[in-house]
Amino acid sequence: MLPTTLKKLGAAAVLAAALAAPASAAVLVQQRPADGGPGFLSANSVGYQNGDTFVLGGDSELQGIAWWGTEAGPDGFVVRLFDSLAGGAAPLVTYLGAVNRELADPAIHDDGQNPLYRYWIDGLSFSLAGGITYLLSVGNEDVEWFWQTGLPNGSSQWRGDDGDDWTEDAFDLAFAIDGQRTPVNPVPEPGVLALLGVAGLAAALAGRRRKATA
């Protein structure tokens, strides 16, 4: 039989693990690729910077970003997130590493009948505020890459250089933002409450045994 101290440590470890278990990412924003729609050449170094804006309904943790476009390798992408459309604004997030990629739905293509690919990065952890207009910018410096237009058919942003203001342009761009909404008043989940109850019961029983043997 385990000593009472080890029992308490075991219960505490289980409880701590339950409290620390991360929630899986959910799709916070998504603009699906438009089948047969045009794409926009996106390469920062040659003066073709494209981006699209989004607003979150509440404070959230950014955990992943996805986007759709023509074929490219896993390297060469420059992914940036801004909280201002003004020229010269520094990005909140800049990602220059290798990205994940896969062939998207084979039934959808761009306006040249080229297959579309889905690209994504995950494992991020950045706090974003609700009600703020953010801008996602994606470009590729290795190949001539086109960012696919998205649904619904709204508008996006473009500029030639980092010092220029972003300017509204036609068509949405295809992208998705993954993460978790930050709760205003975190409430323990039912499973955590059950563990608390078990831990309390175990402590009460241990106290009774000590009194009985005293």
Side-chain angles (χ1 to χ4, degrees):
M1 182 176 292
L2 291 173
T4 302
T5 302
L6 291 181
K7 289 181 180 178
K8 289 182 178 179
L9 288 174
V14 171
L15 180 58
L19 290 171
S24 58
V27 177
L28 301 177
V29 178
Q30 181 168 252
Q31 295 179 175
R32 299 288 300 174
D35 184 24
F40 288 93
L41 177 63
S42 294
N44 297 349
S45 60
V46 295
Y48 291 100
Q49 295 192 29
N50 292 297
D52 210 341
T53 58
F54 64 93
V55 178
L56 298 173
D59 295 351
S60 305
E61 180 188 12
L62 170 67
Q63 298 176 334
I65 301 172
W67 60 97
W68 286 260
T70 53
E71 184 177 6
D75 300 307
F77 279 102
V78 178
V79 182
R80 299 189 293 177
L81 186 66
F82 297 86
D83 63 353
S84 172
L85 303 184
L92 297 175
V93 179
T94 298
Y95 185 88
L96 302 174
V99 305
N100 304 293
R101 70 168 195 156
E102 65 181 4
L103 183 65
D105 185 345
I108 62 174
H109 303 80
D110 66 7
D111 57 355
Q113 290 303 300
N114 297 301
L116 296 176
Y117 283 75
R118 175 179 175 263
Y119 304 89
W120 76 95
I121 51 180
D122 50 22
L124 305 176
S125 182
F126 294 95
S127 296
L128 301 181
I132 301 294
T133 298
Y134 293 101
L135 181 138
L136 173 67
S137 171
V138 179
N140 193 294
E141 302 303 319
D142 284 356
V143 298
E144 191 177 69
W145 179 78
F146 291 81
W147 194 349
Q148 183 66 9
T149 51
L151 300 171
N153 294 318
S155 62
S156 57
Q157 303 285 328
W158 74 275
R159 69 181 182 183
D161 185 78
D162 282 352
D164 300 334
D165 293 342
W166 290 94
T167 302
E168 187 172 0
D169 198 1
F171 299 106
D172 279 323
L173 295 172
F175 73 96
I177 301 295
D178 296 336
Q180 281 292 325
R181 185 69 59 83
T182 304
V184 178
N185 293 308
V187 177
E189 297 182 2
V192 175
L193 293 175
L195 284 173
L196 287 170
V198 169
L201 179 59
L205 290 174
R208 284 190 176 182
R209 291 195 190 99
R210 285 197 297 270
K211 288 180 180 178
T213 56

